[in-house]
Amino acid sequence: MKKIETNSENLKDDISAFYDYKIWHYITVNGVDLGDKMEIQYLFKKYGNKEEVVCYFLTMDYEKEIPSIVSIIPSAYLGEGEVVDMFGVKIKEIPKGLLLEEDSCQAPLRKAQ
Amino acid sequence: MKKTINIPYGSQHIALLEPVRFQFETQNEKIVGVKADIGYVHRGIEKACTSTFEYKQIPSVVARVCGLCAITHSLTYVMAVEQIIDVNVSEKAKYLRMLMVELDRIHSHMLCLSHTAENAGYEALFMQIMADREIIMDIQEAISGNRVQFDFVCIGGVNRDITDEIVKFIIKSLNELQPKIEDIFDMFENNWSLSLKYKGIGAITKENASIYNALGPLARAAGLETDVRAESDYYPYEKIGYKMILEQTGDIYGRNRVRLREILSSIDMIKNILCDIPEGNIIEKVKGKPNGESVARLEAPRGEIFYYLKGVKQAMLDRVRTKTPTFSGIPAMVEIFKGQEYGDVPAILASFDPCMSCTAK
Amino acid sequence: MISAITKAFSNLLKKPYTCNYPVTPVIKPKNYRGLIKFNDEYCIWCDKCEKVCPPNAIIFKQFEDGHKVYNYNPYLCIYCGDCIRACPKTGDALWQCEEKGLPSISKDAPNDDWFILEKEAKQSRENYKAIKAAKKKS
């Protein structure tokens, strides 16, 4: 896995400069709890090619809000929705409640809980 | 006055296979907007994998995410773990794993074809395909000792070896199956009443398929060349005669054709695998605890399956991320529904082969 | 289309695909994965099977004098066979038979009693450890 670091300010510029739907297959958005902050990963793979998976990642505080990449990759709302539900992070324009209901346990994959 | 009517489809519906809810916004009979709600069967398997089970037990846990893809889930997980703890699997184990994955592909595609036939109103064909599918289930039972939950793959190799008796049984059964599949192929190709329900319905263009990241047979029916079997060299697929199967129409008929042709090519591949299974150990010893990150991808019957693992030198893993094919296929499905007639929805949905217990995990 | 119609009519005269299950038994393949069997004469009480079992269907309860008792829940078991592969005395102490596990009825109390036993077994281990530590000190 080839990892490239980015941050919340440059995320949209980086992804839109990198992503071309004819060349890259968007895999998913992934969240990892590092203990005191979150790492959000955006994973891509080239079509018809044996190169390794490319991963853009950013680290963020729990309370901060990051922009959504739905305007660049329309199918990313599911992956982002899952991260929002599972870790309780905030992503602009992505509502809660894709997998969890309001009365169920909130942010189950957060380490503090 | 409001011009559109909202019709819910699911979470319980007579023509629906699994709990998912679609909210269709219709104008007369035409669908103009779709919303999908997928979180009905969330069971928290990712949480269980990081809080209850040790990394050596997880292959049995993730196998129970979904009954149809039991082998692909545990195999993808095992591939990811083997990358972290540096285990080299023998060639023989790789061949046996490929054998099970291809058998899994055949029976999963047959299930999908039968449901597509049923939802187009052809109950007899549904029965016939389900009966023929038993041949594959019997083979899988003979190899792994169980019909659905195989528990065949383990970290470092596979659990059971294959004997000459089983090899003979598989070849005999596959020779029996091949003409039956050709019959079914003929039926899907030439039956006039089925063609009314299939041809030109639920179509997606190649452009839209790649914008919305369609996967598996859904993408290959539209001509998008995406197949993990061709995109990785972990398994020697080229040696056993793998060819990518593409159609250009993108409708239900195209998807059925992709599935039928994939079944026939899988039968050929299995025969090739059985011819040249190499000698060797089936299982390697595993030592150490996982430390680091890894990803693994595999072509499940419905498309790409993806696992991300992170270990911190403990028996319990730090993070297990499962991305299933239907989960990434939902945006493309929603796009296909727009502009279709409401009456065609059951047949279109069945042709996607949706697996909701995979999607919500 | 014509071949399909002729086939449909010829199917009327054929035998059904299904078998009359409880009356005629289903043919099981060789090495079918069934219930786990245990023989305490050969067991060396290493607890390896208990540690590897994914659903915790094997539990050893320990008594104050140190001897252990094997408990197995066939309704919780997933027949994966990991315990058999972990066992150092496979075949003698622990083996998998070809007998099919039966479904449980409420009389068997497959869950509640088992969860109580699980807690008791955990407690009994700790008690034994405490007794052993106390003996060492004295």
Side-chain angles (χ1 to χ4, degrees), chain B residues 53 57 60 64 128 131-132 141-142 144-146 149-151 159-160 165 180 183 186-187 190-192, chain C residues 1 3-4 7 11 17 27-33 50-56 78-80 82 85:
Chain B
F53 297 100
Q57 297 173 333
S60 315
R64 279 148 183 86
Q128 193 187 325
D132 294 344
E141 195 174 7
S144 72
N146 208 330
Q149 293 298 348
F150 310 119
D151 295 321
N159 283 333
R160 283 168 158 243
E165 206 177 324
K180 290 186 176 182
D183 273 3
D186 181 63
M187 196 93 86
N190 298 327
N191 192 303
W192 178 72
Chain C
M1 188 98 191
S3 68
K7 203 173 179 189
N11 274 344
Y17 269 109
I27 306 155
K28 271 181 267 168
K30 253 188 191 174
N31 293 328
Y32 176 82
R33 298 203 325 258
E50 187 189 15
K51 274 175 210 150
V52 296
C53 183
N56 290 337
I78 58 170
Y79 317 115
C80 61
D82 277 353
R85 283 182 286 278

Side-chain angles (χ1 to χ4, degrees), chain A residues 3 21 28 31 75 108 111, chain B residues 47 207 213 293 318-319 321:
Chain A
K3 286 186 101 174
Y21 67 84
T28 191
S75 53
K111 271 192 185 155
Chain B
K47 175 77 179 169
E207 182 97 0
N213 290 299
E293 291 177 295
D318 197 42
R319 173 86 171 110
R321 170 76 160 101

Side-chain angles (χ1 to χ4, degrees), chain C residues 62-80:
Chain C
Q62 198 159 27
F63 289 89
E64 282 178 13
D65 59 343
H67 89 275
K68 291 176 186 170
V69 171
Y70 166 88
N71 291 292
Y72 170 63
N73 187 346
Y75 313 113
L76 207 58
C77 180
I78 58 170
Y79 317 115
C80 61

Side-chain angles (χ1 to χ4, degrees), chain A residues 72-85:
Chain A
I72 309 155
I73 307 166
S75 53
Y77 71 92
L78 281 170
E80 290 187 336
E82 193 176 337
V83 172
V84 167
D85 263 16

Side-chain angles (χ1 to χ4, degrees), chain A:
Chain A
M1 190 167 63
K2 194 172 131 196
K3 286 186 101 174
I4 305 163
E5 188 163 7
T6 178
N7 53 40
S8 57
E9 284 86 46
N10 298 340
L11 171 70
K12 275 182 117 173
D13 296 339
D14 282 358
I15 300 275
S16 63
F18 164 80
Y19 182 74
D20 179 355
Y21 67 84
K22 281 184 181 147
I23 302 168
W24 291 96
H25 165 65
Y26 150 80
I27 299 174
T28 191
V29 180
N30 180 26
V32 182
D33 196 336
L34 299 177
D36 50 352
K37 52 192 171 187
M38 284 290 305
E39 182 178 316
I40 309 286
Q41 304 173 337
Y42 301 84
L43 298 138
F44 301 94
K45 176 84 174 77
K46 224 176 209 174
Y47 281 124
N49 193 309
K50 291 184 179 176
E51 282 170 31
E52 54 188 353
V53 172
V54 174
C55 167
Y56 273 80
F57 75 101
L58 62 91
T59 46
M60 63 179 282
D61 295 331
Y62 289 130
E63 298 308 317
K64 240 177 115 188
E65 194 178 52
I66 56 164
S68 162
I69 55 163
V70 170
S71 56
I72 309 155
I73 307 166
S75 53
Y77 71 92
L78 281 170
E80 290 187 336
E82 193 176 337
V83 172
V84 167
D85 263 16
M86 292 295 151
F87 291 98
V89 296
K90 286 176 193 148
I91 299 179
K92 239 176 233 169
E93 294 160 25
I94 302 287
K96 274 190 174 184
L98 179 76
L99 295 175
L100 302 177
E101 299 301 321
E102 272 182 8
D103 58 346
S104 50
C105 149
Q106 297 297 314
L109 293 183
R110 220 19 121 77
K111 271 192 185 155
Q113 290 180 1

Side-chain angles (χ1 to χ4, degrees), chain C residues 37-43 92-95:
Chain C
K37 295 275 156 137
F38 175 75
N39 187 349
D40 60 354
E41 275 174 34
Y42 294 97
C43 184
D92 293 331
L94 204 67
W95 70 98

Side-chain angles (χ1 to χ4, degrees), chain B residues 217-276:
Chain B
L218 182 59
R220 288 196 287 277
L224 184 65
E225 292 172 27
T226 166
D227 194 326
V228 183
R229 286 177 285 177
E231 286 170 6
S232 80
D233 43 13
Y234 190 82
Y235 291 112
Y237 267 112
E238 273 133 35
K239 256 190 218 168
I240 57 162
Y242 164 73
K243 270 186 219 130
M244 193 185 282
I245 282 150
L246 290 174
E247 290 285 331
Q248 302 301 329
T249 50
D251 52 3
I252 303 181
Y253 172 70
R255 270 168 245 150
N256 287 340
R257 259 186 76 96
V258 166
R259 292 207 170 93
L260 282 161
R261 285 173 60 197
E262 272 187 10
I263 291 174
L264 290 174
S265 100
S266 284
I267 290 176
D268 290 346
M269 274 197 269
I270 290 168
K271 283 179 183 166
N272 289 343
I273 290 171
L274 292 175
C275 280
D276 43 59

